[in-house]
Each structure stands twice: as structure tokens, then as C-alpha cells.
Amino acid sequence: VQLQASGGGLVQAGGSLRLSCAASGLTFSSYGMGWFRQAPGKEREFVGAISRRHFIYYTDSVKGRFTISRDNAKNTVYLQMNSLKPEDTAVYSCAASSSGTYSPPDMDHWGKGTQVTVSS
């Protein structure tokens, strides 16, 4: 199984980025997909998730700014990030869950992260 996140970069506060996570080696439509982030010196944090049936969940700090979507035909999950803030700076990773729950220990497969840096 491979999950490859891409789309990170450096952006000014108030800007936008769109992250993608391409999956292979698994039946993508059978998994819920989550996005997580980890800032330096901090624990990994749940950002949001989209279930197999497209139910969507967000952590409070990103509600109204971030949007998760998935394209099962492309085995890809997306994270559209708008109105970015310096506190959104972190390494963002995607992960797959077969259980329908989305805390880090529940995730079955993880991808390498992509760095997002938001300057003030």
C-alpha cells in the first residue's frame, strides 16, 4: 500500500493550497481517508476525514476554511485549504482507515507527509 501526499509549499497568510493524496495497493473505495498534521514539537493532530460514504469530519480549528473531498475513480483524496494561518504550518499526512474511526492509532496505512508553511 502506498499513500503519496503532494501539494504542500510556502504560502502567505490568507492564501490557499490544495493537497492531494494518491493511493495505490488498496481498494480505495473501501477505506475512510484522513488528513493529519504535525507541527514541530507538537503531537500529531487530526485535521479531517472523509468516510467511504462521503461523511466528512473536521477538527474545529479548520472548519469553514478546509474542505476534504475524494475521487474514487482516481484513488485520490484532497484537502483544499483556504484562509491559511501561520498556525496551520505543519507536515500534513494522509492515512487510510478500514474501521470508520480516525484517531491516529485507528489508521491502517500512512503516507509520507508534505510540508505546509504559512508565513505571516
Side-chain angles (χ1 to χ4, degrees), residues 2-119:
Q2 286 193 330
L3 302 175
Q4 183 62 56
S6 61
L10 173 64
V11 64
Q12 289 187 334
S16 299
L17 283 174
R18 187 195 196 203
L19 305 184
S20 300
C21 173
S24 60
L26 76 170
T27 304
F28 183 74
S29 59
S30 296
Y31 285 83
M33 298 300 297
W35 284 99
F36 298 81
R37 65 187 180 186
Q38 188 166 21
K42 295 188 177 181
E43 293 187 355
R44 181 177 283 165
E45 175 189 24
F46 171 79
V47 175
I50 182 167
S51 74
R52 295 176 296 171
R53 297 184 179 182
H54 294 228
F55 293 116
I56 296 175
Y57 313 92
Y58 299 105
T59 192
D60 286 346
S61 63
V62 308
K63 286 180 181 176
R65 300 189 297 123
F66 290 11
T67 302
I68 291 176
S69 61
R70 66 188 294 162
D71 185 339
N72 287 348
K74 294 182 179 180
N75 287 1
T76 301
V77 60
Y78 304 97
L79 181 66
Q80 177 67 44
M81 305 186 293
N82 298 330
S83 302
L84 282 161
K85 304 175 181 180
E87 51 263 44
D88 294 319
T89 295
V91 174
Y92 284 70
S93 301
C94 59
S97 169
S98 59
S99 66
T101 55
Y102 302 100
S103 63
D106 296 331
M107 309 309 286
D108 298 292
H109 307 289
W110 288 88
K112 291 184 179 179
T114 185
Q115 176 70 46
V116 172
T117 303
V118 184
S119 63

